[in-house]
Amino acid sequence: MKAIAYQKPYRLDPHDLFQLIESEQPVAQGHDLLIQVQAISINPIDIKVRQRTPEDNTDWKILGRDAVGVVAAIGECVQNFKVGDPVYYAGTINRNGSYAEYQLVDERIVGHKPMSISNAQAAALPLTSITAWEMLFQRLEVERPIAGQSRSILLIGAAGGVGSIAIQLLKARTDLEVIATASRAESKQWLKQIGADYILDHSHGLTAQMNALGLAQPGYIFSISGSDQHLEDIQQLIAPQGRVGLIDDPADFSIQGFKAKSVSIHWESMFTRSVFQTQDMPQQAEILNQVATLVDHGKIKSTLAQNLGAINAAHIQQAHDLIETGKSIGKIVLEGF
């Protein structure tokens, strides 16, 4: 089968990092589905994994988490899918990814594709939807009110893939007032379009902006990026007994400043369940199926921002370059080999 793979974490010469290779087509066993990949999206985690590859690596590595495809074969333990089913999923971090014609994925983390949208639109959703859902509804428990506190949430760095779907999920499933941050004009406009109630500029102090708008301390803060940069504001703004969640990798994030308010701190990695094979691993399939229902009922929409075209080395390199600028909005998708 064809696959787009890499060996080195960075470009060592003018040639592209990614190359088209021939790889052996995997065989479905156990709970595995063999998926014929039709569309993929590129995520920041792809860049992080690539950049952490040892400089002396000589093995071909296949990245890619998000994908839409058709079930081509099933393992002997599969219960919920049959050959020919259209599916979408985010895969896991410890197996070969979706930059390939075929991919093995455990059925317990696979959802039935939303039927009302295209493959490209669906490919933008899995990883960010699972990440946002797990953080909002399972870690922060935003549907469980905090006694005496305002029903509001602050999302820091909200214009990317995770923030874009988190805002929509909050509007579809809760009564929370959504305060979101961005710094560029186009990012702020994007947040307005997808339903944010208030938009702050995270290139300036957040506390002063909240005070100027007369906004109450939020009971929840979801820090998607820049957690260490905004640590002081987060500590000042979070309501007593509030809940703070983060998904980035801050170099320094001291929790000492949260003690006086009895604030709970939550980390989220959507790969925890699949990597550690937790008993509740099937919840990720359930999340994707619920997201598909919300999409098909018109409650949320795809966060696809750019479709760069075919799945090839040049387009994957282009997508990585765009994400590394830190200025991408929504999701970047590729479709078809």
Side-chain angles (χ1 to χ4, degrees):
M1 69 174 185
K2 295 178 182 177
I4 312 300
Y6 78 101
Q7 293 175 317
K8 304 299 181 183
Y10 300 99
R11 297 189 213 205
L12 302 180
D13 55 44
H15 295 94
D16 290 334
L17 268 170
F18 294 97
Q19 301 290 330
L20 175 65
I21 66 168
E22 285 291 332
S23 181
E24 185 175 350
Q25 183 171 307
V27 176
Q29 296 178 322
H31 286 283
D32 280 337
L33 308 175
L34 177 66
I35 308 298
Q36 184 178 9
V37 175
Q38 296 175 322
I40 66 172
S41 70
I42 313 299
N43 288 283
I45 187 64
D46 297 343
I47 284 79
K48 291 178 183 179
V49 170
R50 193 202 80 217
Q51 291 176 343
R52 292 169 183 165
T53 304
E55 293 279 359
D56 59 355
N57 174 65
T58 58
D59 296 327
W60 288 110
K61 296 183 177 294
I62 303 171
L63 292 170
R65 308 277 78 86
D66 279 333
V68 166
V70 174
V71 176
I74 62 174
E76 65 276 10
C77 298
V78 170
Q79 297 180 351
N80 300 314
F81 297 91
K82 64 183 185 301
V83 172
D85 282 348
V87 296
Y88 76 144
Y89 55 90
T92 187
I93 203 163
N94 57 350
R95 304 183 76 174
N96 278 340
S98 57
Y99 297 6
E101 287 186 292
Y102 292 89
Q103 181 186 8
L104 287 180
V105 188
D106 192 303
E107 70 161 334
R108 292 169 290 185
I109 57 172
V110 174
H112 293 276
K113 173 189 168 290
M115 300 308 295
S116 61
I117 58 176
S118 68
N119 289 339
Q121 290 171 317
L125 290 171
L127 185 146
T128 53
S129 294
I130 294 171
T131 299
W133 190 292
E134 289 185 345
M135 176 60 84
L136 295 174
F137 304 123
Q138 298 178 348
R139 315 292 184 216
L140 297 180
E141 297 182 286
V142 298
E143 293 171 305
R144 178 168 64 89
I146 299 170
Q149 300 302 340
S150 68
R151 291 291 290 160
S152 64
I153 182 170
L154 171 63
L155 280 71
I156 300 174
V162 172
S164 297
I165 197 66
I167 291 171
Q168 295 187 73
L169 288 172
L170 287 163
K171 286 299 178 181
R173 289 175 53 92
T174 79
D175 62 350
L176 284 169
E177 183 177 67
V178 177
I179 308 158
T181 83
S183 59
R184 297 180 297 130
E186 54 267 44
S187 300
K188 294 175 183 177
Q189 181 61 33
W190 171 258
L191 295 180
K192 184 177 180 179
Q193 289 176 0
I194 59 176
D197 295 300
Y198 296 94
I199 300 168
L200 309 182
D201 188 334
H202 57 230
S203 64
H204 303 288
L206 300 178
T207 301
Q209 294 177 71
M210 290 277 289
N211 291 339
L213 290 170
L215 298 175
Q217 290 179 302
Y220 315 90
I221 295 179
F222 182 5
S223 184
I224 299 165
S225 63
S227 296
D228 43 4
Q229 176 187 347
H230 301 292
L231 177 58
E232 185 175 340
D233 276 322
I234 294 171
Q235 291 174 339
Q236 289 184 31
L237 289 171
I238 188 66
Q241 301 188 88
R243 303 169 200 146
V244 171
L246 57 157
I247 60 171
D248 59 346
D249 302 296
D252 182 24
F253 191 86
S254 172
I255 64 171
Q256 191 63 35
F258 296 100
K259 182 178 180 180
K261 291 183 177 178
S262 297
V263 169
S264 58
I265 308 296
H266 303 263
W267 292 90
E268 159 64 17
S269 169
M270 64 138 291
F271 300 115
T272 298
R273 284 171 164 146
S274 57
V275 168
F276 293 98
Q277 297 282 295
T278 61
Q279 286 189 343
D280 62 354
M281 186 173 157
Q283 284 195 23
Q284 292 200 338
E286 295 172 12
I287 290 169
L288 289 173
N289 287 331
Q290 290 188 68
V291 168
T293 298
L294 288 170
V295 170
D296 288 339
H297 288 174
K299 300 295 186 181
I300 61 176
K301 61 183 180 180
S302 171
T303 54
L304 167 62
Q306 296 182 73
N307 186 336
L308 297 182
I311 303 169
N312 59 39
H315 288 155
I316 287 175
Q317 183 64 64
Q318 182 183 358
H320 276 239
D321 290 344
L322 286 168
I323 292 174
E324 286 187 66
T325 67
K327 297 180 180 180
S328 59
I329 299 173
K331 295 296 293 293
I332 300 172
V333 169
L334 308 178
E335 184 177 14
F337 277 89

Short mmCIF file of all heavy atoms in Angstrom, two decimals, residues 285-335:
data_model
loop_
_atom_site.label_atom_id
_atom_site.label_comp_id
_atom_site.label_asym_id
_atom_site.label_seq_id
_atom_site.Cartn_x
_atom_site.Cartn_y
_atom_site.Cartn_z
N ALA A 285 -15.78 5.73 21.22
CA ALA A 285 -16.72 5.42 20.13
C ALA A 285 -18.07 6.06 20.40
O ALA A 285 -18.71 6.61 19.49
CB ALA A 285 -16.86 3.92 19.97
N GLU A 286 -18.51 6.01 21.65
CA GLU A 286 -19.79 6.61 22.02
C GLU A 286 -19.77 8.12 21.80
O GLU A 286 -20.75 8.71 21.32
CB GLU A 286 -20.12 6.30 23.48
CG GLU A 286 -20.36 4.82 23.75
CD GLU A 286 -20.51 4.51 25.24
OE1 GLU A 286 -20.66 5.48 26.02
OE2 GLU A 286 -20.45 3.33 25.61
N ILE A 287 -18.65 8.77 22.16
CA ILE A 287 -18.52 10.22 21.95
C ILE A 287 -18.65 10.54 20.47
O ILE A 287 -19.39 11.46 20.07
CB ILE A 287 -17.19 10.73 22.52
CG1 ILE A 287 -17.19 10.69 24.05
CG2 ILE A 287 -16.90 12.16 22.03
CD1 ILE A 287 -15.84 10.94 24.68
N LEU A 288 -17.92 9.80 19.64
CA LEU A 288 -17.97 10.07 18.20
C LEU A 288 -19.37 9.86 17.64
O LEU A 288 -19.83 10.62 16.77
CB LEU A 288 -16.96 9.18 17.47
CG LEU A 288 -15.49 9.55 17.69
CD1 LEU A 288 -14.58 8.50 17.06
CD2 LEU A 288 -15.17 10.94 17.13
N ASN A 289 -20.08 8.86 18.13
CA ASN A 289 -21.44 8.63 17.65
C ASN A 289 -22.38 9.74 18.11
O ASN A 289 -23.28 10.15 17.35
CB ASN A 289 -21.94 7.27 18.12
CG ASN A 289 -21.28 6.12 17.37
OD1 ASN A 289 -20.87 6.26 16.22
ND2 ASN A 289 -21.15 4.98 18.03
N GLN A 290 -22.19 10.26 19.31
CA GLN A 290 -23.01 11.39 19.77
C GLN A 290 -22.70 12.65 18.98
O GLN A 290 -23.61 13.43 18.66
CB GLN A 290 -22.78 11.62 21.27
CG GLN A 290 -23.37 10.52 22.14
CD GLN A 290 -23.30 10.86 23.62
OE1 GLN A 290 -23.97 11.78 24.10
NE2 GLN A 290 -22.48 10.13 24.35
N VAL A 291 -21.41 12.87 18.67
CA VAL A 291 -21.04 14.02 17.85
C VAL A 291 -21.67 13.91 16.47
O VAL A 291 -22.19 14.88 15.92
CB VAL A 291 -19.50 14.15 17.75
CG1 VAL A 291 -19.10 15.16 16.67
CG2 VAL A 291 -18.92 14.55 19.09
N ALA A 292 -21.64 12.70 15.90
CA ALA A 292 -22.26 12.49 14.58
C ALA A 292 -23.75 12.83 14.61
O ALA A 292 -24.28 13.43 13.68
CB ALA A 292 -22.06 11.04 14.13
N THR A 293 -24.43 12.44 15.68
CA THR A 293 -25.85 12.77 15.82
C THR A 293 -26.07 14.27 15.89
O THR A 293 -26.98 14.81 15.25
CB THR A 293 -26.44 12.09 17.07
OG1 THR A 293 -26.32 10.67 16.93
CG2 THR A 293 -27.90 12.46 17.27
N LEU A 294 -25.23 14.97 16.66
CA LEU A 294 -25.34 16.43 16.75
C LEU A 294 -25.11 17.08 15.39
O LEU A 294 -25.80 18.04 15.03
CB LEU A 294 -24.33 16.96 17.77
CG LEU A 294 -24.63 16.68 19.24
CD1 LEU A 294 -23.43 17.06 20.11
CD2 LEU A 294 -25.87 17.43 19.70
N VAL A 295 -24.15 16.56 14.64
CA VAL A 295 -23.89 17.09 13.30
C VAL A 295 -25.10 16.86 12.39
O VAL A 295 -25.58 17.77 11.70
CB VAL A 295 -22.62 16.44 12.69
CG1 VAL A 295 -22.50 16.81 11.21
CG2 VAL A 295 -21.38 16.87 13.45
N ASP A 296 -25.59 15.63 12.37
CA ASP A 296 -26.69 15.28 11.47
C ASP A 296 -28.00 16.00 11.84
O ASP A 296 -28.88 16.16 10.99
CB ASP A 296 -26.90 13.77 11.46
CG ASP A 296 -25.79 13.04 10.71
OD1 ASP A 296 -25.12 13.68 9.89
OD2 ASP A 296 -25.59 11.83 10.96
N HIS A 297 -28.11 16.44 13.10
CA HIS A 297 -29.29 17.20 13.54
C HIS A 297 -29.07 18.70 13.41
O HIS A 297 -29.95 19.49 13.83
CB HIS A 297 -29.64 16.84 14.98
CG HIS A 297 -30.24 15.48 15.13
ND1 HIS A 297 -30.52 14.91 16.36
CD2 HIS A 297 -30.60 14.54 14.21
CE1 HIS A 297 -31.03 13.70 16.19
NE2 HIS A 297 -31.09 13.46 14.89
N GLY A 298 -27.93 19.11 12.86
CA GLY A 298 -27.66 20.52 12.63
C GLY A 298 -27.29 21.31 13.87
O GLY A 298 -27.31 22.54 13.85
N LYS A 299 -26.90 20.62 14.96
CA LYS A 299 -26.54 21.30 16.20
C LYS A 299 -25.11 21.83 16.18
O LYS A 299 -24.81 22.84 16.82
CB LYS A 299 -26.72 20.35 17.39
CG LYS A 299 -28.15 19.83 17.56
CD LYS A 299 -29.12 20.94 17.90
CE LYS A 299 -30.51 20.37 18.20
NZ LYS A 299 -31.48 21.45 18.51
N ILE A 300 -24.22 21.13 15.51
CA ILE A 300 -22.84 21.59 15.36
C ILE A 300 -22.42 21.36 13.92
O ILE A 300 -23.04 20.57 13.19
CB ILE A 300 -21.86 20.87 16.33
CG1 ILE A 300 -21.84 19.36 16.07
CG2 ILE A 300 -22.21 21.16 17.77
CD1 ILE A 300 -20.82 18.61 16.91
N LYS A 301 -21.36 22.05 13.50
CA LYS A 301 -20.89 21.92 12.14
C LYS A 301 -19.40 21.60 12.13
O LYS A 301 -18.69 21.79 13.12
CB LYS A 301 -21.15 23.20 11.35
CG LYS A 301 -20.46 24.44 11.90
CD LYS A 301 -20.84 25.66 11.09
CE LYS A 301 -20.15 26.92 11.64
NZ LYS A 301 -20.51 28.14 10.86
N SER A 302 -18.92 21.12 11.00
CA SER A 302 -17.51 20.79 10.86
C SER A 302 -16.65 22.04 11.05
O SER A 302 -17.06 23.15 10.70
CB SER A 302 -17.25 20.20 9.47
OG SER A 302 -15.86 20.06 9.23
N THR A 303 -15.45 21.82 11.58
CA THR A 303 -14.50 22.92 11.76
C THR A 303 -13.46 22.94 10.64
O THR A 303 -12.39 23.54 10.80
CB THR A 303 -13.80 22.80 13.13
OG1 THR A 303 -13.22 21.50 13.24
CG2 THR A 303 -14.80 23.00 14.26
N LEU A 304 -13.77 22.29 9.52
CA LEU A 304 -12.89 22.33 8.36
C LEU A 304 -12.68 23.78 7.91
O LEU A 304 -13.64 24.51 7.67
CB LEU A 304 -13.51 21.53 7.21
CG LEU A 304 -12.90 21.69 5.81
CD1 LEU A 304 -11.44 21.25 5.80
CD2 LEU A 304 -13.70 20.91 4.79
N ALA A 305 -11.42 24.18 7.80
CA ALA A 305 -11.09 25.54 7.34
C ALA A 305 -10.40 25.52 5.99
O ALA A 305 -10.63 26.40 5.16
CB ALA A 305 -10.20 26.24 8.37
N GLN A 306 -9.53 24.51 5.74
CA GLN A 306 -8.80 24.42 4.47
C GLN A 306 -8.75 22.97 4.01
O GLN A 306 -8.41 22.09 4.78
CB GLN A 306 -7.36 24.93 4.61
CG GLN A 306 -7.23 26.39 4.96
CD GLN A 306 -5.77 26.81 5.02
OE1 GLN A 306 -5.10 26.94 4.00
NE2 GLN A 306 -5.29 27.04 6.22
N ASN A 307 -9.06 22.73 2.73
CA ASN A 307 -8.87 21.44 2.10
C ASN A 307 -7.74 21.62 1.09
O ASN A 307 -7.92 22.28 0.06
CB ASN A 307 -10.15 20.97 1.41
CG ASN A 307 -10.04 19.56 0.85
OD1 ASN A 307 -8.94 19.08 0.56
ND2 ASN A 307 -11.17 18.90 0.68
N LEU A 308 -6.58 21.06 1.38
CA LEU A 308 -5.40 21.28 0.54
C LEU A 308 -5.35 20.37 -0.67
O LEU A 308 -4.47 20.52 -1.52
CB LEU A 308 -4.12 21.11 1.38
CG LEU A 308 -3.93 22.10 2.53
CD1 LEU A 308 -2.60 21.84 3.23
CD2 LEU A 308 -4.01 23.53 2.06
N GLY A 309 -6.28 19.39 -0.75
CA GLY A 309 -6.29 18.50 -1.90
C GLY A 309 -5.87 17.09 -1.54
O GLY A 309 -6.11 16.61 -0.43
N ALA A 310 -5.24 16.41 -2.48
CA ALA A 310 -4.91 14.98 -2.34
C ALA A 310 -3.95 14.71 -1.18
O ALA A 310 -3.17 15.58 -0.77
CB ALA A 310 -4.31 14.46 -3.64
N ILE A 311 -4.02 13.48 -0.68
CA ILE A 311 -3.11 13.04 0.39
C ILE A 311 -1.78 12.66 -0.27
O ILE A 311 -1.64 11.57 -0.85
CB ILE A 311 -3.69 11.84 1.15
CG1 ILE A 311 -5.06 12.18 1.73
CG2 ILE A 311 -2.74 11.40 2.27
CD1 ILE A 311 -5.83 10.99 2.28
N ASN A 312 -0.84 13.58 -0.23
CA ASN A 312 0.49 13.31 -0.79
C ASN A 312 1.54 14.02 0.05
O ASN A 312 1.22 14.79 0.97
CB ASN A 312 0.58 13.73 -2.26
CG ASN A 312 0.28 15.20 -2.49
OD1 ASN A 312 0.67 16.06 -1.70
ND2 ASN A 312 -0.42 15.50 -3.58
N ALA A 313 2.81 13.76 -0.25
CA ALA A 313 3.90 14.28 0.57
C ALA A 313 3.93 15.80 0.58
O ALA A 313 4.14 16.44 1.62
CB ALA A 313 5.23 13.71 0.09
N ALA A 314 3.72 16.41 -0.58
CA ALA A 314 3.80 17.87 -0.68
C ALA A 314 2.71 18.54 0.15
O ALA A 314 2.97 19.53 0.86
CB ALA A 314 3.69 18.30 -2.14
N HIS A 315 1.49 18.01 0.09
CA HIS A 315 0.39 18.63 0.84
C HIS A 315 0.53 18.39 2.34
O HIS A 315 0.16 19.26 3.14
CB HIS A 315 -0.95 18.10 0.33
CG HIS A 315 -1.30 18.62 -1.03
ND1 HIS A 315 -2.16 17.96 -1.89
CD2 HIS A 315 -0.93 19.75 -1.68
CE1 HIS A 315 -2.29 18.65 -3.00
NE2 HIS A 315 -1.55 19.74 -2.90
N ILE A 316 1.02 17.24 2.73
CA ILE A 316 1.25 16.99 4.16
C ILE A 316 2.32 17.94 4.69
O ILE A 316 2.19 18.51 5.77
CB ILE A 316 1.63 15.52 4.41
CG1 ILE A 316 0.38 14.64 4.25
CG2 ILE A 316 2.24 15.33 5.79
CD1 ILE A 316 0.64 13.15 4.36
N GLN A 317 3.40 18.13 3.90
CA GLN A 317 4.43 19.08 4.32
C GLN A 317 3.85 20.49 4.43
O GLN A 317 4.13 21.23 5.39
CB GLN A 317 5.57 19.09 3.31
CG GLN A 317 6.73 20.02 3.70
CD GLN A 317 7.41 19.57 4.98
OE1 GLN A 317 7.99 18.50 5.03
NE2 GLN A 317 7.32 20.38 6.03
N GLN A 318 3.01 20.88 3.47
CA GLN A 318 2.37 22.20 3.50
C GLN A 318 1.53 22.37 4.76
O GLN A 318 1.56 23.43 5.41
CB GLN A 318 1.52 22.39 2.25
CG GLN A 318 0.85 23.77 2.16
CD GLN A 318 -0.06 23.88 0.93
OE1 GLN A 318 -0.17 22.95 0.12
NE2 GLN A 318 -0.71 25.02 0.79
N ALA A 319 0.77 21.34 5.11
CA ALA A 319 -0.08 21.40 6.29
C ALA A 319 0.76 21.53 7.56
O ALA A 319 0.43 22.31 8.46
CB ALA A 319 -0.97 20.16 6.37
N HIS A 320 1.84 20.76 7.65
CA HIS A 320 2.72 20.86 8.82
C HIS A 320 3.29 22.27 8.93
O HIS A 320 3.34 22.85 10.03
CB HIS A 320 3.85 19.84 8.72
CG HIS A 320 3.47 18.48 9.21
ND1 HIS A 320 4.13 17.84 10.23
CD2 HIS A 320 2.49 17.62 8.81
CE1 HIS A 320 3.57 16.66 10.45
NE2 HIS A 320 2.58 16.50 9.59
N ASP A 321 3.71 22.83 7.81
CA ASP A 321 4.28 24.18 7.82
C ASP A 321 3.25 25.20 8.30
O ASP A 321 3.57 26.10 9.08
CB ASP A 321 4.78 24.56 6.42
CG ASP A 321 6.02 23.78 6.00
OD1 ASP A 321 6.67 23.18 6.88
OD2 ASP A 321 6.33 23.77 4.79
N LEU A 322 2.01 25.07 7.84
CA LEU A 322 0.96 26.01 8.24
C LEU A 322 0.69 25.93 9.74
O LEU A 322 0.55 26.96 10.41
CB LEU A 322 -0.33 25.71 7.45
CG LEU A 322 -0.35 26.14 5.99
CD1 LEU A 322 -1.55 25.53 5.28
CD2 LEU A 322 -0.39 27.67 5.88
N ILE A 323 0.60 24.72 10.26
CA ILE A 323 0.32 24.56 11.69
C ILE A 323 1.48 25.08 12.53
O ILE A 323 1.29 25.68 13.59
CB ILE A 323 -0.01 23.09 12.01
CG1 ILE A 323 -1.35 22.72 11.37
CG2 ILE A 323 -0.06 22.86 13.53
CD1 ILE A 323 -1.71 21.27 11.49
N GLU A 324 2.71 24.88 12.06
CA GLU A 324 3.87 25.35 12.82
C GLU A 324 3.94 26.86 12.93
O GLU A 324 4.62 27.39 13.81
CB GLU A 324 5.15 24.79 12.21
CG GLU A 324 5.35 23.30 12.49
CD GLU A 324 6.70 22.78 12.03
OE1 GLU A 324 7.73 23.20 12.59
OE2 GLU A 324 6.72 21.96 11.09
N THR A 325 3.24 27.58 12.06
CA THR A 325 3.21 29.04 12.20
C THR A 325 2.43 29.48 13.42
O THR A 325 2.59 30.60 13.90
CB THR A 325 2.57 29.70 10.96
OG1 THR A 325 1.17 29.37 10.91
CG2 THR A 325 3.26 29.28 9.67
N GLY A 326 1.56 28.60 13.94
CA GLY A 326 0.73 28.95 15.07
C GLY A 326 -0.43 29.86 14.73
O GLY A 326 -1.12 30.38 15.62
N LYS A 327 -0.69 30.04 13.43
CA LYS A 327 -1.73 30.97 13.00
C LYS A 327 -2.89 30.30 12.27
O LYS A 327 -3.75 30.98 11.72
CB LYS A 327 -1.12 32.05 12.11
CG LYS A 327 -0.08 32.92 12.82
CD LYS A 327 0.50 33.97 11.88
CE LYS A 327 1.53 34.84 12.59
NZ LYS A 327 2.11 35.86 11.70
N SER A 328 -2.90 28.99 12.24
CA SER A 328 -3.97 28.31 11.51
C SER A 328 -5.29 28.42 12.28
O SER A 328 -5.31 28.49 13.51
CB SER A 328 -3.62 26.83 11.29
OG SER A 328 -3.41 26.18 12.53
N ILE A 329 -6.38 28.47 11.55
CA ILE A 329 -7.73 28.56 12.10
C ILE A 329 -8.48 27.30 11.70
O ILE A 329 -8.44 26.87 10.56
CB ILE A 329 -8.46 29.80 11.57
CG1 ILE A 329 -7.72 31.09 11.97
CG2 ILE A 329 -9.90 29.84 12.07
CD1 ILE A 329 -8.29 32.33 11.33
N GLY A 330 -9.22 26.71 12.68
CA GLY A 330 -9.96 25.51 12.35
C GLY A 330 -9.03 24.36 11.97
O GLY A 330 -7.90 24.28 12.43
N LYS A 331 -9.50 23.48 11.07
CA LYS A 331 -8.76 22.29 10.72
C LYS A 331 -8.34 22.27 9.25
O LYS A 331 -9.05 22.77 8.38
CB LYS A 331 -9.60 21.03 11.02
CG LYS A 331 -9.91 20.82 12.48
CD LYS A 331 -8.65 20.57 13.31
CE LYS A 331 -7.98 19.26 12.97
NZ LYS A 331 -8.75 18.09 13.33
N ILE A 332 -7.18 21.63 9.00
CA ILE A 332 -6.65 21.45 7.66
C ILE A 332 -6.86 20.00 7.26
O ILE A 332 -6.48 19.07 7.98
CB ILE A 332 -5.15 21.80 7.61
CG1 ILE A 332 -4.94 23.26 8.01
CG2 ILE A 332 -4.58 21.54 6.21
CD1 ILE A 332 -3.49 23.64 8.18
N VAL A 333 -7.45 19.78 6.08
CA VAL A 333 -7.85 18.44 5.64
C VAL A 333 -7.24 18.12 4.29
O VAL A 333 -7.03 19.01 3.46
CB VAL A 333 -9.38 18.34 5.57
CG1 VAL A 333 -9.84 17.07 4.87
CG2 VAL A 333 -9.99 18.41 6.98
N LEU A 334 -6.93 16.83 4.06
CA LEU A 334 -6.52 16.30 2.77
C LEU A 334 -7.48 15.18 2.41
O LEU A 334 -8.00 14.48 3.29
CB LEU A 334 -5.09 15.78 2.82
CG LEU A 334 -4.00 16.71 3.35
CD1 LEU A 334 -2.66 16.01 3.38
CD2 LEU A 334 -3.92 17.99 2.55
N GLU A 335 -7.66 14.94 1.10
CA GLU A 335 -8.69 13.98 0.69
C GLU A 335 -8.25 13.21 -0.54
O GLU A 335 -7.93 13.81 -1.57
CB GLU A 335 -10.00 14.72 0.43
CG GLU A 335 -11.18 13.83 0.09
CD GLU A 335 -12.45 14.62 -0.07
OE1 GLU A 335 -12.37 15.87 -0.19
OE2 GLU A 335 -13.53 13.99 -0.07
#
